[in-house]
Amino acid sequence: MQAPMCRDCFTGTLRGDVTPAGTEETIHGIPTYIAQPPPGVQPSGTVVLITDAIGWKLLNTRALADAYAQRVPCTVYVPDFMNGHAIPERPISHAGWCLIPVPALTHNLRLLVCTRRILHPFIKALTTLIS
């Protein structure tokens, strides 16, 4: 069974021209992309970017994290709250209608329902880390 999605869901572009500047680390057992401000610039805060169902590896997401880190300046954490089960970007890499298998959507919805259970310990561990 497939779930149709409208054209308007994907009117943006997928970034192929971006080389992420951050690093990947594991925080509280969760793989996390970390974007830092420019060298020598003290971060003025911390941002935790919670992704949509397409997940933390999407270049657009990492480009956004890098931009926040540079412009605010701040440290940006992009955790893999989808536990490695994000919807692949392949279905959205073409124009027109996109069909995503319903099992992928329902799995991600189950993960989103328990996000608080995952998010709370992550934020607690992150608070300890940056204190």
Side-chain angles (χ1 to χ4, degrees):
M1 183 177 189
Q2 303 283 326
M5 302 186 85
C6 74
R7 291 175 189 263
D8 290 338
C9 293
F10 307 107
T11 55
T13 59
L14 289 176
R15 302 289 306 260
D17 61 338
V18 174
T19 302
T23 59
E24 290 184 13
E25 296 180 30
T26 300
I27 299 174
H28 194 67
I30 299 174
T32 304
Y33 178 78
I34 303 170
Q36 299 283 352
V41 176
Q42 184 69 23
S44 62
T46 301
V47 172
V48 177
L49 191 86
I50 300 174
T51 65
D52 58 15
I54 297 176
W56 74 301
K57 290 208 175 222
L58 186 67
L59 289 180
N60 294 41
T61 302
R62 291 181 177 208
L64 182 62
D66 291 343
Y68 286 161
Q70 297 292 312
R71 293 179 186 160
V72 170
C74 62
T75 302
V76 182
Y77 296 88
V78 185
D80 177 18
F81 287 137
M82 294 297 162
N83 196 26
H85 297 286
I87 295 171
E89 68 179 77
R90 183 177 61 3
I92 64 169
S93 63
H94 60 84
W97 282 79
C98 174
L99 300 177
I100 297 173
V102 169
L105 288 176
T106 56
H107 176 77
N108 285 331
L109 289 175
R110 282 196 307 272
L111 284 172
L112 289 172
V113 167
C114 70
T115 294
R116 181 175 180 194
R117 188 178 47 172
I118 296 168
L119 181 60
H120 181 72
F122 177 83
I123 296 297
K124 188 174 182 179
L126 185 59
T127 302
T128 303
L129 181 71
I130 62 176
S131 296

